[in-house]
């Protein structure tokens, strides 16, 4: 089960989301030749990935940031970029370009810290944008819980696309991360479940001040839990302009 699209246009061009998509794809293209050379790939990850044991040794703190732009294969990259493309634009629309960029980076660093804390002496490199994108998903859940997201479900020979409220899809996804985190050793290779769960929680917490500033539950009432339609946002912004009494 994974999302393939939403039906929620944003009110402004999501320049930061697009820039992040380009940056991740560009870095992957530049590192692609390394996948045929395990030694070179390990050396590359040693320098740029998040390796908890190196953090515990007091070095390579830059890995908290640089690891967000590295991926372990094409499907890893494609899945992350799909999630970013679906959920990033509406969150950026509410936060603004600069605010969203800071939010994304902080969520990614927080996700890396969560993964580090559960296995501080692991020598397994952690790579991927999924922790930061999980933060975007946490913010999306808080801001737009009823937004419709189309989910592709595949089971053996059965497949179908279902429309689903965002809160159900994101709650299921979060539950899967918690289940996977408790069900697999944190210091082994594979999916960084605790980075996903940590990023999601951090993103939700970071979005809380914005949600309260927008009116909290009153924001949900105005938008019915959906991203505001661009035209509706424009009308709302115009309604905030105070009336001016003209002199005669």
């Amino acid at each position: 089960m994974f999302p393939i699209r939403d039906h929620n246009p944003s009110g402004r061009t999501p320049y930061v989301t697009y820039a992040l998509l380009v940056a991740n794809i560009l870095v992957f293209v530049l590192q692609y030749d390394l996948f045929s050379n395990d030694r070179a790939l390990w050396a590359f990850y040693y320098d740029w990935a998040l390796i908890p044991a190196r953090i515990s040794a007091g070095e390579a703190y830059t890995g908290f940031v640089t690891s967000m732009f590295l991926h372990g294969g094409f499907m890893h990259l494609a899945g992350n970029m799909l999630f970013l493309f679906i959920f990033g634009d509406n969150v950026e629309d509410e936060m603004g370009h600069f605010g969203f960029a800071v939010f994304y980076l902080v969520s990614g660093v927080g996700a890396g810290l969560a993964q580090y804390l559960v296995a501080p002496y692991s020598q397994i490199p952690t790579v991927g944008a999924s922790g930061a994108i999980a933060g975007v998903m946490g913010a999306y859940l808080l801001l737009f819980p009823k937004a419709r997201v189309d989910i592709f479900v595949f089971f053996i020979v059965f497949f179908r696309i279902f429309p689903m409220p965002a809160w159900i899809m994101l709650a299921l996804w979060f539950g899967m991360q918690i289940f996977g985190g408790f069900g697999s050793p944190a210091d082994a290779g594979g999916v960084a479940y605790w980075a996903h769960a940590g990023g999601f929680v951090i993103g939700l917490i970071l979005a809380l001040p914005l949600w309260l500033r927008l009116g909290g539950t009153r924001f949900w009432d105005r938008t019915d839990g959906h991203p505001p339609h661009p035209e509706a946002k424009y009308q709302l912004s115009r309604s905030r302009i105070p009336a001016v009494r003209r002199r005669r």
Side-chain angles (χ1 to χ4, degrees):
M1 180 187 77
F2 58 89
I4 59 172
R5 62 175 177 261
D6 67 355
H7 300 270
N8 311 295
S10 56
R12 70 181 88 184
T13 303
Y15 292 114
V16 175
T17 298
Y18 290 163
L20 290 168
L21 290 168
V22 171
N24 279 277
I25 293 170
L26 180 60
V27 170
F28 182 78
V29 170
L30 293 175
Q31 77 169 93
Y32 185 77
D33 287 344
L34 298 176
F35 287 111
S36 60
N37 187 326
D38 290 343
R39 179 174 296 181
L41 183 63
W42 166 251
F44 179 76
Y45 283 158
Y46 184 83
D47 289 335
W48 302 108
L50 172 63
I51 301 179
R54 296 195 69 193
I55 302 298
S56 295
E59 58 187 25
Y61 294 111
T62 54
F64 280 111
V65 175
T66 55
S67 62
M68 282 188 258
F69 297 92
L70 307 179
H71 289 85
F74 176 77
M75 293 306 296
H76 186 203
L77 172 73
N80 280 346
M81 295 305 98
L82 176 63
F83 275 67
L84 177 58
F85 181 76
I86 292 173
F87 298 109
D89 61 334
N90 295 120
V91 177
E92 181 178 348
D93 197 15
E94 292 299 330
M95 292 186 174
H97 304 309
F98 179 76
F100 179 72
V102 173
F103 165 84
Y104 181 91
L105 292 173
V106 173
S107 294
V109 170
L113 183 61
Q115 186 66 30
Y116 165 74
L117 289 175
V118 297
Y121 300 105
S122 172
Q123 298 189 28
I124 304 297
T126 299
V127 297
S130 51
I133 297 168
V136 175
M137 295 162 65
Y140 197 99
L141 172 64
L142 179 63
L143 296 172
F144 319 119
K146 295 184 180 179
R148 194 180 78 173
V149 180
D150 286 349
I151 307 299
F152 179 81
V153 177
F154 177 80
F155 182 73
I156 307 177
V157 296
F158 169 82
F159 64 90
R160 188 172 178 181
I161 296 175
F162 293 94
M164 181 180 294
W167 74 267
I168 296 178
M169 178 262 152
L170 293 172
L172 287 173
W173 181 89
F174 180 72
M176 290 168 63
Q177 308 316 303
I178 297 297
F179 180 82
F182 282 113
S184 61
D187 58 352
V191 178
Y193 290 109
W194 293 115
H196 296 173
F200 188 92
V201 172
I202 290 167
L204 193 152
I205 292 172
L206 290 176
L208 188 59
L210 170 63
W211 179 70
L212 293 173
R213 191 166 67 250
L214 290 170
T217 56
R218 294 192 304 276
F219 175 68
W220 287 345
D221 293 336
R222 291 197 308 270
T223 63
D224 194 32
H226 293 75
H229 191 277
E231 183 176 342
K233 290 188 68 175
Y234 174 70
Q235 292 174 348
L236 178 62
S237 65
R238 290 194 61 178
S239 70
R240 292 174 180 168
I241 300 175
V244 177
R245 178 174 295 177
R246 295 182 180 179
R247 294 182 180 179
R248 294 183 178 179

